[in-house]
Amino acid sequence: MPDASRSPAHPARQLDVAIVGGGLAGLYAIHRLRGLGLKVRAYEAGSGIGGTWFWNRYPGARCDVESLEYSYSFSNELQQEWKWPERYGTQPEILKYINHVADRFDLRRDVQLNTRIKSAVFDDKANEWTLRTTDGEEIRVRYCVMAAGNLSTPRVPDFKGLKNFKGKWYHSGLWPHEGVDFSGLRVGVIGTGSSGVQMIPIIASQAKHLHVFQRTANFSLPARNGPMEPERERRHKAEYPARRAAAAETPFAIAGHAKPTKSALDVPVEERNKAYESKWQEGGSISYLYAYTDLLVNKESNDTASEFVRNKIRTMVEDPTTAELLAPKDHPIGTKRLCLDTNYYETYNRDNVTLVDVRSDPIQEITAKGVRTNGTEVELDAIVFATGFDAMTGALREIDVRTTDGAVLADHWAGGPLTYLGLMVSGFPNMFVVTGPGSPGVKTQMIASIEQHVDWIADAIDHLHKHQLDRIAPNADAESEWVNHVNAVADSTLYPLANSWYVGANIPGKPRVFMPYVGGFDRYKKRCDEVSAGGYPGFSLSRHEATVA
Ligand code: NAP
């Protein structure tokens, strides 16, 4: 039973809802739940709001969903008035937008910065959660909303010798606020996922020499970024509400891409290549993967799209050996997160850039001078880890989540994360998760998923209150059924063929379980809507006498 007297410096704060995280999800949760008249507060580890967009300040950091799509839809005035300068938002621009939203909707007063939640314990008798911060503060609440992000736990591989390195090192997700000037330096970038692919061309243009350490080649398509076209913006804004509604009827929660009607194998080669070429010229990833009905479910169809991009790489990269190393052959296109870039492949034509294949010759250690593989030691002044995150479960794994009944989230998830609808976990009442495992979040326009999840959570809490109830928890059966469904859907696609963070493959020892729901935002939302409209089948709703504040 939580006891405030154990931390006399901080008497327990009593609220209706504690929100873990002050990023796009946490901020919208404040807005939405406050609208229900609830006393809420978000706890944010960073010294500023913005989550992903606060931390990931590496050179070239930019969203690869178009800015007119990647924005909140809950206020039409906001979406009409905000002006995005470019087709894709840069990290500073998105952070500026988030800060604008926080001020415009007066959200800051309910965000506590520099505060990391270290544990969350549900007291079954009191029917309340007690969260504790690393500073010893206690927060007692009826509901807990975990909005801590799914790519928010940066991971530096456990390379031997890192502490001996005499130069400076950085991780993409923990970038110094003052920026880093690589001019005149010998730089190594380890990792060629979305972060690496964005930063490599920019670091190459500054550094004396750049070595890129690549373990797995990734597919990347041209972003074709540019200044926002006024006519495009005008048209989009004129249709905004209709476009948002149309987006909710699509798998990626992004409107404006004609639904494919044919298999890639049902069209002649020339026609197919013409279609791929047109998507390549258009830029963006959704359009390319949505060219045919079966690119993510039929290997033979996917091969045509993969080979088209491999051939593009072969024409863009002058050195044939480097081109072959950059041309991905170990996974079908789209089954790892497809990257978008500006001049990524062309960067390898520069004299000051060297690609090091650490698949065939893995990194053995970081030395005082640089990076050593079996074959060679590369001397460096700076190392950049673009090595990703403990995705989807990392942020929750860092919090000791348990109940007085003896349930421990880390144990419950030992074999892989279990959730019902990605929103709640059996045995952990009144704890909601935003865009976590079992949710389609990471496979969609993330802000659409955030809004949909938070709206569902707010409706559930409202439903409880209207029926004089105060507890909701998913049933174990419903949770198992959902997890089986998530896996069955994934197994009907090509996704499991890739060693991606979707299956935890980048974290040694993490159970290999497919975590996101890839059945599509449209299908998922329909299911969530049916559950709330149907009185929450699969959940137990009940009343407990104890009250918080
Ligand atoms: P990531 O996709 O997980 O890529 C990590 C890279 O580091 C991979 O190339 C990985 O190789 C490599 N790596 C990891 N451990 C290694 C080791 N021990 N030795 C050598 N190489 C190693 O991480 P990320 O690029 O930060 O992106 C994560 C996700 O964040 C993206 O998929 C995307 O969802 C999101 N993101 C989005 C944007 C955007 O919207 N533009 C930008 C950045 C990130 P392997 O593939 O062999 O594991």
Side-chain angles (χ1 to χ4, degrees):
M1 169 98 185
D3 176 3
S5 64
R6 276 195 307 217
S7 56
H10 299 283
R13 182 190 285 274
Q14 298 203 314
L15 303 165
D16 296 312
V17 189
I19 299 160
V20 182
L24 285 157
L27 293 172
Y28 181 58
I30 295 176
H31 177 70
R32 189 66 175 74
L33 297 171
R34 215 197 244 168
L36 293 178
L38 298 170
K39 217 166 132 193
V40 304
R41 195 166 175 84
Y43 296 87
E44 166 56 51
S47 60
I49 58 168
T52 286
W53 301 107
F54 174 82
W55 296 103
N56 287 266
R57 296 165 185 252
Y58 59 83
R62 185 189 287 281
C63 184
D64 54 21
V65 174
E66 294 189 37
S67 40
L68 286 163
E69 299 280 346
Y70 190 83
S71 50
Y72 289 117
S73 70
F74 70 86
S75 160
N76 195 38
E77 292 73 27
L78 170 67
Q79 65 186 7
Q80 294 297 339
E81 286 168 28
W82 185 263
K83 285 193 81 63
W84 294 103
E86 292 178 84
R87 180 175 177 186
Y88 301 91
T90 58
Q91 174 272 329
E93 190 61 36
I94 298 170
L95 191 57
K96 189 168 141 198
Y97 167 77
I98 295 172
N99 277 282
H100 167 81
V101 172
D103 290 333
R104 184 174 183 137
F105 297 95
D106 187 24
L107 306 177
R108 272 183 220 282
R109 66 182 156 90
D110 285 326
V111 183
Q112 184 169 320
L113 299 173
N114 301 306
T115 306
R116 191 173 282 281
I117 299 296
K118 89 169 182 208
S119 67
V121 180
F122 181 73
D123 185 318
D124 188 61
K125 286 205 189 70
N127 194 36
E128 69 178 17
W129 282 94
T130 298
L131 280 72
R132 285 191 181 80
T133 71
T134 48
D135 290 339
E137 185 181 358
E138 276 191 5
I139 307 118
R140 292 183 183 186
V141 289
R142 171 62 42 77
Y143 305 103
C144 191
V145 175
M146 297 298 189
N150 34 53
L151 292 157
S152 51
T153 311
R155 181 185 166 264
V156 175
D158 196 11
F159 290 124
K160 188 175 136 200
L162 179 56
K163 64 177 181 331
N164 303 327
F165 181 55
K166 294 270 186 273
K168 293 214 164 122
W169 65 266
Y170 310 91
H171 187 285
S172 61
L174 293 169
W175 206 259
H177 284 206
E178 63 280 14
V180 182
D181 181 5
F182 291 108
S183 305
L185 300 183
R186 299 162 304 169
V187 184
V189 171
I190 303 177
T192 51
S194 300
S195 305
V197 160
Q198 286 188 326
M199 69 172 74
I200 283 165
I202 295 175
I203 297 180
S205 70
Q206 297 173 358
K208 182 169 165 203
H209 199 97
L210 171 64
H211 281 86
V212 176
F213 296 86
Q214 173 187 275
R215 187 166 68 181
T216 310
N218 255 324
F219 286 100
S220 185
L221 301 179
R224 310 242 181 257
N225 185 42
M228 179 64 70
E229 294 163 26
E231 179 49 25
R232 184 176 182 152
E233 180 185 15
R234 194 199 57 73
R235 241 183 309 119
H236 200 109
K237 287 190 170 177
E239 299 164 357
Y240 238 144
R243 286 187 75 110
R244 298 290 196 187
E249 301 297 321
T250 69
F252 305 107
I254 296 177
H257 299 290
K259 194 169 176 176
T261 52
K262 288 183 194 162
S263 157
L265 304 179
D266 283 347
V267 289
V269 181
E270 302 73 36
E271 183 184 330
R272 196 167 59 212
N273 284 337
K274 217 168 136 198
Y276 291 145
E277 181 64 35
S278 131
K279 308 275 180 193
W280 176 271
Q281 294 305 333
E282 181 187 335
S285 55
I286 304 293
S287 151
Y288 194 83
L289 293 177
Y290 220 35
Y292 295 104
T293 52
D294 54 353
L295 293 183
L296 291 171
V297 293
N298 181 328
K299 175 78 170 52
E300 211 186 324
S301 294
N302 186 291
D303 285 345
T304 66
S306 296
E307 189 59 12
F308 180 86
V309 176
R310 282 192 287 266
N311 284 334
K312 283 286 184 192
I313 297 168
R314 290 170 184 131
T315 57
M316 285 184 288
V317 178
E318 288 158 10
D319 173 52
T321 311
T322 306
E324 263 341 287
L325 279 174
L326 288 166
K329 295 168 197 91
D330 77 328
H331 66 280
I333 190 167
T335 56
K336 284 182 99 148
R337 172 67 136 70
L338 191 47
C339 303
L340 284 193
D341 73 90
T342 301
N343 298 328
Y344 175 64
Y345 293 112
E346 295 86 341
T347 296
Y348 292 93
N349 297 332
R350 297 176 63 108
D351 292 339
N352 71 332
V353 176
T354 306
L355 182 66
V356 183
D357 173 21
V358 294
R359 168 73 62 200
S360 62
D361 184 11
I363 295 172
Q364 297 300 318
E365 65 172 323
I366 310 289
T367 64
K369 290 188 192 157
V371 171
R372 189 178 70 73
T373 64
N374 264 335
T376 177
E377 181 176 12
V378 179
E379 294 192 10
L380 301 167
D381 303 306
I383 301 175
V384 178
F385 293 96
T387 45
F389 302 85
D390 184 352
M392 308 217 59
T393 52
L396 269 181
R397 279 198 328 182
E398 288 199 336
I399 303 173
D400 180 12
V401 180
R402 55 181 69 229
T403 74
T404 51
D405 274 1
V408 178
L409 188 68
D411 295 344
H412 190 62
W413 283 9
L418 307 172
T419 67
Y420 182 34
L421 297 172
L423 289 163
M424 294 197 82
V425 184
S426 75
F428 298 85
N430 292 353
M431 182 184 85
F432 301 94
V433 184
V434 184
T435 66
S439 140
V442 295
K443 296 301 304 162
T444 68
Q445 192 277 87
M446 182 60 87
I447 304 179
S449 284
I450 285 171
E451 290 185 320
Q452 184 272 339
H453 288 37
V454 171
D455 288 345
W456 189 94
I457 293 166
D459 288 348
I461 294 176
D462 196 35
H463 176 92
L464 291 178
H465 291 181
K466 285 193 170 126
H467 293 81
Q468 285 77 49
L469 302 171
D470 56 15
R471 187 185 289 195
I472 179 169
N475 302 328
D477 289 357
E479 184 177 81
S480 302
E481 177 267 328
W482 180 251
V483 171
N484 290 340
H485 175 62
V486 169
N487 282 305
V489 173
D491 287 342
S492 70
T493 70
L494 302 176
Y495 282 105
L497 297 182
N499 286 320
S500 63
W501 57 256
Y502 299 146
V503 293
N506 62 326
I507 304 292
K510 195 163 170 172
R512 192 181 172 108
V513 176
F514 199 87
M515 294 183 282
Y517 177 60
V518 290
F521 179 88
D522 43 352
R523 214 164 136 195
Y524 173 80
K525 180 175 183 309
K526 192 161 171 276
R527 172 82 186 258
C528 290
D529 289 348
E530 282 165 6
V531 168
S532 46
Y536 299 90
F539 289 92
S540 292
L541 278 55
S542 54
R543 173 163 179 77
H544 290 254
E545 286 306 314
T547 51
V548 184

